[in-house]
Amino acid sequence: METNVIENLKLSSPAFSAGDTIPEKFTCDGEDVNPPLEIGDFPEGTQSLVLHVNDPDAPSGNWTHWLVYDMPLLHTIEENSTPGTVGMNDFGEAKYGGPCPPIGTHRYFFRLYALDTRLSLPPASTRDDVLAQMENHIIGTGELMGLFSHHT
């Protein structure tokens, strides 16, 4: 993917602040629904948004929890919503799968990408397919990181 992307999108959540613990409601210990997100500062020329939620601390490597593409330019992603076309997560489902680390505290990155095109991929496309289609179309990014420790 491009290396000269501008990190200019604002991405935040009324449910947790950057670097804080993600509330249990949005994890496998709770209702396992997506948290609400707020978005701002779309670059000129933005045609669609992609949201990728991943855990780089997973034992198997970079674990995708949620992948949404061809989102319109929204300022709010509501809690427990489907804001665009949903891709396949690493749980093998085309839906949000909340934080559920097997051990320790993991970091969860909510990464938002502004694209100068729509991807027009079928539902349940894979992370690799989405990332390949995004290449050379990213005109802005934003990021929100939260933490979670699974209580057994």
Side-chain angles (χ1 to χ4, degrees), residues 67-91:
L67 180 62
V68 186
Y69 46 96
D70 286 345
M71 289 192 299
L73 278 61
L74 342 136
H75 290 283
T76 303
I77 295 175
E78 300 293 335
E79 176 181 312
N80 194 22
S81 67
T82 306
T85 304
V86 181
M88 193 64 70
N89 65 28
D90 284 334
F91 296 107

Side-chain angles (χ1 to χ4, degrees), residues 49-149:
L49 301 171
V50 173
L51 179 65
H52 181 217
V53 180
N54 72 297
D55 171 7
D57 303 320
S60 61
N62 195 6
W63 188 271
T64 294
H65 283 263
W66 199 27
L67 180 62
V68 186
Y69 46 96
D70 286 345
M71 289 192 299
L73 278 61
L74 342 136
H75 290 283
T76 303
I77 295 175
E78 300 293 335
E79 176 181 312
N80 194 22
S81 67
T82 306
T85 304
V86 181
M88 193 64 70
N89 65 28
D90 284 334
F91 296 107
E93 301 176 309
K95 64 178 228 169
Y96 174 82
C100 198
I103 188 167
T105 300
H106 286 211
R107 298 168 298 155
Y108 296 88
F109 288 89
F110 291 73
R111 288 192 175 97
L112 187 69
Y113 300 91
L115 306 182
D116 63 4
T117 188
R118 289 181 51 83
L119 299 181
S120 300
L121 288 166
S125 289
T126 66
R127 172 183 61 222
D128 290 345
D129 288 342
V130 171
L131 294 178
Q133 288 292 314
M134 287 169 51
E135 198 165 327
N136 299 318
H137 292 288
I138 300 169
I139 57 174
T141 63
E143 181 179 282
L144 173 66
M145 189 274 294
L147 305 169
F148 187 70
S149 299

